[in-house]
Structure formats: structure tokens, C-alpha cells
């Protein structure tokens, strides 16, 4: 595996299915720097759903990376292994990635009982 499967400029995300639905919905939380890059210092989060991901050629059931560049939201599909790598690294989003993996594991156990 490469030493950095996801560059530090990308934030990792793995959408959670909406309860009682087959859709996806998530909020991408922006840092103050990302909000400034987006062009609005007051924007704290961007709401994305499965349809937005599919329009960009991404599978909403799989993890992805995102960043703000030149005022635009860029997204790319990443592997599950890359997401797990991010969770085990010292990146700023590693705690979030760990929590997502833990939550997904608990949900799988709960749904299998």
C-alpha cells in the first residue's frame, strides 16, 4: 500500500444511510480555512446526498475524499482500505474515520442479530 493513499489535502468521508430509507445524506463540515476557500466565511457545512455523489460518478455506499479548491467542492472515490488507513493515521480527520468505522461495525453486528 502506498505510504499516503489519500493526500492530506483531502478529507475522508463515508456516508451513512438515512434511517428507514434507501437514501444517503451527510454534512461535510468545513474548517474556517475551507469556508474561506469556498468563498463564504459563514458556511460551516455542505449538505450532500446520494444523488449528488452519483451525479459526480461516485458510489454513495463507498468512502470518498473531498476538498475545496478554487471555491469548488471536489470529490473522488477512495477505497475502503484508504479510509481505514486514514483512521489509523495521524491526520486531522483520523478520529472521525475511527468513529465511522466503529459505528459501521456496531450496526453490522446489530443487524446480524
Amino acid at each position: 500500500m502506498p505510504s499516503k493513499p489519500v493526500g492530506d489535502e483531502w478529507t475522508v468521508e463515508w456516508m451513512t444511510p438515512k434511517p428507514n430509507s434507501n437514501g444517503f445524506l451527510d454534512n461535510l463540515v468545513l474548517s474556517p480555512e475551507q469556508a474561506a476557500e469556498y468563498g463564504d466565511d459563514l458556511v460551516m457545512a455542505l449538505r450532500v446526498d446520494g444523488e449528488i455523489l452519483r451525479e459526480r460518478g461516485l458510489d454513495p455506499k463507498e468512502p470518498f475524499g473531498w476538498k475545496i479548491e478554487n471555491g469548488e467542492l471536489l470529490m473522488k472515490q477512495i477505497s475502503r482500505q484508504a479510509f481505514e488507513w486514514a483512521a489509523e493515521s495521524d491526520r486531522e480527520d483520523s478520529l472521525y474515520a475511527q468513529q465511522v468505522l466503529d459505528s459501521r461495525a456496531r450496526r453490522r453486528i446489530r443487524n446480524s442479530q
Side-chain angles (χ1 to χ4, degrees), residues 90-103:
D90 61 353
R91 297 166 48 101
E92 287 185 28
D93 56 358
S94 65
L95 180 59
Y96 166 76
Q98 290 169 17
Q99 292 170 340
V100 168
L101 290 174
D102 183 56
S103 173

Side-chain angles (χ1 to χ4, degrees), residues 69-112:
E69 187 171 278
N70 297 322
E72 186 177 343
L73 172 63
L74 303 178
M75 295 185 280
K76 70 175 184 175
Q77 200 85 65
I78 63 171
S79 68
R80 292 178 182 208
Q81 292 81 11
F83 191 90
E84 291 167 359
W85 171 86
E88 295 171 1
S89 71
D90 61 353
R91 297 166 48 101
E92 287 185 28
D93 56 358
S94 65
L95 180 59
Y96 166 76
Q98 290 169 17
Q99 292 170 340
V100 168
L101 290 174
D102 183 56
S103 173
R104 294 178 73 83
R106 281 194 221 159
R107 189 170 47 247
R108 271 194 314 274
I109 292 168
R110 191 172 50 248
N111 290 342
S112 69

Side-chain angles (χ1 to χ4, degrees), residues 12 34 42-43:
V12 298
Q34 289 169 319
L42 300 178
V43 173

